[in-house]
Each structure stands twice: as structure tokens, then as C-alpha cells.
Amino acid sequence: MNGLPMSFPYEGLPARVRIHEVGARDGLQNEKTAVPTHVKAEFVHRLAAAGLTTIEATSFVHPRWVPQLADADELFPLLADVRAALPVLVPNEPGLDRALALGATRIAVIGSATETFASRNLNRTVAGSLAMFEPVVARAKDHKVHVRGYLSMCFGDPWEGPVPVHQVVGVAKALLDLGCDELSLGDTIGVATPGHVQTLLSALNEEGVGTDRIGVHFHDTYGQALSNTLAALQHGVTTVDASAGGLGGCPYAKSATGNLATEDLVWMLDGLGIETGVDLAALTATSVWMAEQLGRPSPSRTVRALSHKE
Amino acid sequence: MNGLPMSFPYEGLPARVRIHEVGARDGLQNEKTAVPTHVKAEFVHRLAAAGLTTIEATSFVHPRWVPQLADADELFPLLADVRAALPVLVPNEPGLDRALALGATRIAVIGSATETFASRNLNRTVAGSLAMFEPVVARAKDHKVHVRGYLSMCFGDPWEGPVPVHQVVGVAKALLDLGCDELSLGDTIGVATPGHVQTLLSALNEEGVGTDRIGVHFHDTYGQALSNTLAALQHGVTTVDASAGGLGGCPYAKSATGNLATEDLVWMLDGLGIETGVDLAALTATSVWMAEQLGRPSPSRTVRALSHKE
């Protein structure tokens, strides 16, 4: 084997998938090791060189809440020459001001499908968080900035249990009504299975939310992320979130990994003959390098398999 | 969350799946730690108590080749009261003699789809290995013993690269022609992707080999095992091999895991509303216990997530 899967198409899947790479933001914000700003900048440059076209770069949240990304104002200017879309997370208007001042052209906000997570993560009700996002999205649109709306806890919630589909649809529509250009449906605790994924996508489609505005964001806590991705692709989704090397982790499952690893996703998409533009060998080398910076091995099975070849 | 996924059916999938549990044989034969016979016996009893109905118990291969399972003659009698089918691996006629003497009613032989693996693993050509199996299968059938034929390297081979589908179909048919009751298609190095799985299953169907005689045996080396399983289920397969706790490993990817973990499979099947008869909590407790015997954590993400709950 040459380290690349063979290509066999699978009926009914899209010809091309856009990977929304979240390792530098969602990944590093959940890593305990402090990563120097110049290493983060090199990471983003390497990800772009490996062919990723959408790389979420950092977060303009207050440093008190996410100290790992406190260097956003220093980092973002170092990425001026990166040839990829570089969305940044903004939690509120002060965050938007920082992002706009640095010339960001794509932002993301993070909402919650459940009251408990909204309360714990955003210190607001769901309605209150939407009210907080309203001026953020409106001002972003005035500046012709693209807005992604993350929706957390779309399948299960550690405090509330299973999340009713109609409840997720309601918050999803509210985020789109605010002006979000796309949604990312998050399985924050990794409990979803393929039928649940398709049920939610169908319910959104019935309410007029097409798959062209939907990305999926699966966590591998129970090993389900890739089969859920296959189900989403079969439902027409073409935007998939993933984290290089499987960076980051879910705080509710301490020794389990968090985000779907980009390499595991690319192995499957390569094998299905679905175009991503990503060079798997270059991406794997990047994740091996980042694992060295963090001082621990990558949880991605593909990274581990490809980097242990004789 | 109560530690169980919600149930959402997925169109076109079977109502019930039979899990062929391989942890006690395929798993333990690849573990470096020596496991005492009484622990193996307790493991099989616990697996049956968790609801598994087919538990591959051990191997009657010569102890020189697989010292981990050298206690097969001592172990098998300890399982007389286990209420599950207990197939055992037999490589040749001396192995069959040992299995028959102990009253085994189900055996398995392991063939190879590639010449290189046949040569390295069986020290024979593919044709020579089939000739070796011929009297084994014939005599087993004379004793009304059920015979499973494993077929290794059905997708990729570490020395030969991609394995042509027609080559796999040829050896598969030859194993059935010998009298095997069912086949298990092995992705020994874990490189398959969903389209490849369906291509092979379609080619077998076209040659008259129905999915009722086919099991799938995926390895998680590149994280693909569960999405490949979903593809196989969508093609009508209802027998899936898995290893409790993800026991065992592929020697060609040292730090990656080997077999699909039974718990990760059961999480998906529970979530799809597909009946397996397995109690996930009891199975997870069994794998946690076995991990303690082996002195290392389970590689199953579901085991790790469920056993780290507060």
C-alpha cells in the first residue's frame, strides 16, 4: 500500500466536499498545552499548504474564558498571506469589533440548542443568547462579513439527555433568521447515530433549510463521527467540520477524543473518490509536527497508522 | 444522558444484526500479555451474559504459532455451560481432530485472498491452502459441524497493494465450494472505504453469493470500520464481526487499534434501533474488567467514554 486508499465511488454521494478545518480554534482551545503564537501561525500556514480552503483560525472571545486563544490579536495579522478563508469565532460585539479591526471577512457565533448548555456556556437563556447575537450578525452583514452559526448540543445534552428534533430546528431557524449564512450542526458530546442525523436533516429540509446551508460537526467520543458523516453525505450535505490530527477533546469524556480527525475523514473521502483538494500526506505530516509541539501523540487513527509505517 | 443512545431508524437497514464476537480469539491472539486460562473462561462467560450469541472461543492452531492460545484444550471444556455458539479456529486436520475430540460444533478456517499473505501466514499458495482446507471442511461437514471461512486481505494487502475484486470473489467462491457455510470478509489492514465494500458485495452477489452467507470483518486502523459496517448493512449484510473492547491489534500499524470494538458497533446499532440482544452496559463492564487483566486501557471509544462518566 502506498499510504492512500483506493477510490471506489458510492452511489448518491456528492462529487466534492468542503472541509471546514477547526483544529486551530476548536482544537487548540481544548488543549491544555500552551502553544506559542508563532507555532499557531505555522500550523495555519501548513494546513493551507496541505490544501485546506477553510481554516477557522482563532477566537475573539475574552481571554479570561479561553486563555489558550488570548493571542488572537497577535495571531491574525500573521496569517495575512494565507490563501484560505479564515473564519474567526466572535462571541459578542466587543469580539466583533476586534475581528473587524483586523480585517476578518468571515466570523462564527456559537449558539446552543439547549437551555442548560446556553446557561453554562453562554450564561444566558437560548433567547438571551440569540438577542446577544442579533447586533453581532447585523453589523457583520453590514460589513459584508460571512457569518457561520454553530449550534451546539443538536443531538444529546449531558444534563438534559436527548434533545428533541423540533427544538433544534427552532433554534436553527432563529439563527438563520438573524442573518447567518450557514449553520454547523454540532454533536457536542458525540452521541449521535446515522438515523438521528438524517432525521434532523430531514426536519430542517422540511422547514425550508436546505443542505446547502448546513455543515455537520461530529465528535468521535463514541467512535460514531465518520459513520454519521457518511449519513450526512447521503443526505446531500457537502460541508464537514473536522480537526487536523483530532486536536481538542470533549471535556465530558476525559480520555476520549473530541473532534472528528480531518485525516480519518480525508481517508474516507479519498476512498469514495470525493474531491477535497487536501493532500493527505502533507496533512498527516502537519499533524505529526503539531503533536510534537503538544508533546503527545495524535488521537487520529489515520495519522497513527500512516506515521508508523516502516 | 443515561449512557445509551437514542433510537432513530435509518431506511433500508436490517431489523436485526448478529454480532460474531472475536475478542477471545482474534483479540487475545494479538495481545502481548499472557492471559490465564481461567480469566479467558470468565471472559467468555461474561460475554455470553452480556447477550452475545456467537463467541469465537479459541484456536486449535499449533501452540508454536500462537502461544497466546496454547491452552485451547484446557479452555474449551470450561465453556461447556456457556449459552452461546462457540466457534473455534482450526488451521488443519490435526486442529480439527482436537476440536472434534472436545465436541466443538462450529469451526472456522482462515484463507487469504492474496498469494503473499497466504505464503507468509499459511506457508502455502492460495491453491495450496484451499487444498489443505478441503479435508478439514469435508470431515467437519461429515460431523455436521458448521464451518465459517475467513478470507483475509479482501481489500488491500501490505505487500501487494490494492486487491482486485475479481481475485477476492474467486477465492470466496472456492471456499464456499469446499463446503463453508458462511464467509467472513476481512479488511485485515483496515484500508477499505464504503464504496469498496459495496463494490465487493455487489460482485459477490452477481456470482450468486448472497449476503445471507456473508459476514464482514473490519479493522479500525484508519478509523473506517464503523462507516464500512454501515455500508455493508445498507447492502443487506446482517453478520458483523467485532472484538469486545477493541481487543487485539494489527501488527502493521503498531499504535493503531485492530478490530472494530463491539461497544462502538453496539452504540451505532442501538442508535439505529437494530436489535442485537447485547446489553451495552454489561459488555462495557466486561471490557473494563478485561482491560484491567491486560493492564492497559481499552482502545474502544465507547468503553472509554462510558467508563469515564462521573
Side-chain angles (χ1 to χ4, degrees):
Chain A
M1 302 298 295
N2 59 2
L4 293 173
M6 300 144 272
S7 173
F8 286 87
Y10 191 100
E11 204 180 334
L13 296 189
R16 186 173 176 83
V17 159
R18 182 173 66 87
I19 298 174
H20 185 106
E21 168 61 44
V22 301
R25 197 279 301 169
D26 193 13
L28 292 183
Q29 94 173 36
N30 286 300
E31 292 288 341
K32 282 181 186 153
T33 307
V35 178
T37 306
H38 72 91
V39 172
K40 292 176 182 170
E42 181 171 348
F43 184 41
V44 174
H45 279 90
R46 280 177 175 242
L47 291 171
L52 288 155
T53 55
T54 307
I55 306 167
E56 198 161 299
T58 187
S59 171
F60 289 96
V61 66
H62 194 287
R64 190 190 311 145
W65 305 120
V66 184
Q68 294 93 331
L69 304 183
D71 59 354
D73 298 277
E74 290 74 54
L75 173 63
F76 198 75
L78 300 178
L79 309 177
D81 60 336
V82 174
R83 296 184 65 162
L86 298 174
V88 293
L89 194 70
V90 303
N92 49 27
E93 288 198 84
L96 178 66
D97 291 335
R98 290 165 63 197
L100 290 176
L102 292 168
T105 59
R106 298 173 82 98
I107 66 162
V109 298
I110 297 198
S112 168
T114 68
E115 291 293 347
T116 311
F117 190 70
S119 169
R120 291 188 172 236
N121 199 49
L122 304 167
N123 199 27
R124 279 168 174 75
T125 61
V126 170
S129 63
L130 291 169
M132 174 174 70
F133 297 146
E134 187 171 9
V136 174
V137 179
R139 288 181 52 208
K141 302 310 294 177
D142 286 345
H143 286 80
K144 305 213 183 306
V145 164
H146 181 277
V147 182
R148 159 176 261 225
Y150 280 104
L151 191 49
S152 299
M153 303 294 173
C154 287
F155 299 92
D157 175 293
W159 303 280
E160 300 186 16
V163 181
V165 169
H166 68 85
Q167 181 176 323
V168 181
V169 172
V171 187
K173 286 184 69 180
L175 281 168
L176 290 171
D177 288 345
L178 289 183
C180 288
D181 297 286
E182 69 174 21
L183 292 176
S184 172
L185 306 175
D187 181 18
T188 315
I189 59 171
V191 296
T193 46
H196 199 169
V197 171
Q198 293 220 345
T199 299
L200 176 56
L201 292 171
S202 292
L204 284 164
N205 293 164
E206 279 169 22
E207 292 290 320
V209 182
T211 45
D212 56 319
R213 289 193 285 173
I214 296 175
V216 287
H217 185 107
F218 294 120
H219 279 214
D220 223 4
T221 321
Y222 295 82
Q224 310 293 310
L226 204 55
S227 48
N228 288 337
T229 300
L230 181 59
L233 297 179
Q234 290 180 328
H235 203 90
V237 167
T238 59
T239 297
V240 180
D241 296 6
S243 174
L247 282 177
C250 172
Y252 310 109
K254 295 181 186 67
S255 72
T257 56
N259 288 296
L260 171 62
T262 312
E263 290 84 356
D264 297 10
L265 172 64
V266 171
W267 184 280
M268 183 176 81
L269 297 177
D270 276 358
L272 291 165
I274 295 174
E275 206 183 324
T276 64
V278 174
D279 177 331
L280 181 56
L283 179 60
T284 299
T286 298
S287 290
V288 169
W289 168 83
M290 182 49 93
E292 287 164 4
Q293 309 300 313
L294 294 168
R296 62 143 186 75
S298 164
S300 161
R301 294 189 165 167
T302 298
V303 169
R304 291 159 73 174
L306 289 177
S307 62
H308 280 79
K309 294 273 175 195
E310 279 100 326
Chain B
M1 302 298 295
N2 60 1
L4 292 173
M6 299 145 273
S7 172
F8 287 86
Y10 191 100
E11 205 180 333
L13 295 189
R16 185 172 177 85
V17 159
R18 182 173 65 88
I19 297 175
H20 185 107
E21 169 61 45
V22 301
R25 197 277 302 168
D26 192 14
L28 292 184
Q29 93 174 36
N30 286 299
E31 293 287 341
K32 281 180 186 155
T33 308
V35 178
T37 306
H38 73 90
V39 172
K40 292 175 182 171
E42 182 171 349
F43 184 42
V44 174
H45 279 89
R46 280 178 176 242
L47 292 170
L52 288 155
T53 55
T54 307
I55 305 169
E56 199 162 298
T58 186
S59 170
F60 290 95
V61 66
H62 194 286
R64 190 190 313 146
W65 305 120
V66 184
Q68 294 93 331
L69 304 183
D71 59 354
D73 298 277
E74 289 75 55
L75 172 64
F76 198 76
L78 300 178
L79 309 178
D81 60 337
V82 174
R83 297 183 65 161
L86 298 174
V88 293
L89 194 70
V90 302
N92 48 28
E93 288 199 82
L96 178 67
D97 291 336
R98 291 165 63 198
L100 290 176
L102 292 169
T105 58
R106 298 173 82 98
I107 65 161
V109 297
I110 298 198
S112 169
T114 68
E115 290 293 346
T116 311
F117 190 70
S119 169
R120 291 189 172 234
N121 198 50
L122 305 167
N123 199 26
R124 279 168 173 75
T125 61
V126 170
S129 63
L130 291 168
M132 174 174 69
F133 297 145
E134 187 171 8
V136 175
V137 178
R139 288 182 52 209
K141 301 310 294 177
D142 286 345
H143 286 80
K144 305 210 183 304
V145 164
H146 181 277
V147 182
R148 161 175 259 226
Y150 280 105
L151 192 48
S152 299
M153 303 294 174
C154 286
F155 298 92
D157 175 293
W159 303 281
E160 300 185 17
V163 181
V165 169
H166 68 86
Q167 181 177 324
V168 181
V169 171
V171 187
K173 286 183 67 179
L175 281 169
L176 291 171
D177 288 345
L178 288 183
C180 288
D181 298 286
E182 68 173 22
L183 291 177
S184 171
L185 306 175
D187 181 18
T188 315
I189 58 171
V191 296
T193 45
H196 199 169
V197 172
Q198 293 221 344
T199 300
L200 176 56
L201 292 171
S202 293
L204 284 164
N205 293 164
E206 279 169 22
E207 292 291 319
V209 183
T211 45
D212 56 320
R213 289 194 285 172
I214 295 175
V216 288
H217 185 108
F218 294 120
H219 279 213
D220 223 3
T221 321
Y222 295 82
Q224 310 293 310
L226 204 54
S227 48
N228 288 338
T229 300
L230 180 60
L233 297 179
Q234 290 181 327
H235 203 90
V237 167
T238 59
T239 298
V240 179
D241 296 7
S243 173
L247 282 177
C250 173
Y252 310 109
K254 296 182 186 68
S255 72
T257 57
N259 287 296
L260 171 62
T262 311
E263 290 85 355
D264 296 11
L265 171 63
V266 171
W267 185 279
M268 184 175 81
L269 297 177
D270 276 358
L272 291 166
I274 295 174
E275 206 183 325
T276 63
V278 174
D279 177 332
L280 182 56
L283 179 60
T284 300
T286 298
S287 290
V288 169
W289 167 83
M290 181 49 93
E292 287 164 4
Q293 309 301 314
L294 294 169
R296 62 144 185 74
S298 164
S300 161
R301 294 189 165 166
T302 297
V303 170
R304 291 159 74 174
L306 289 177
S307 62
H308 280 79
K309 295 272 175 193
E310 281 102 325

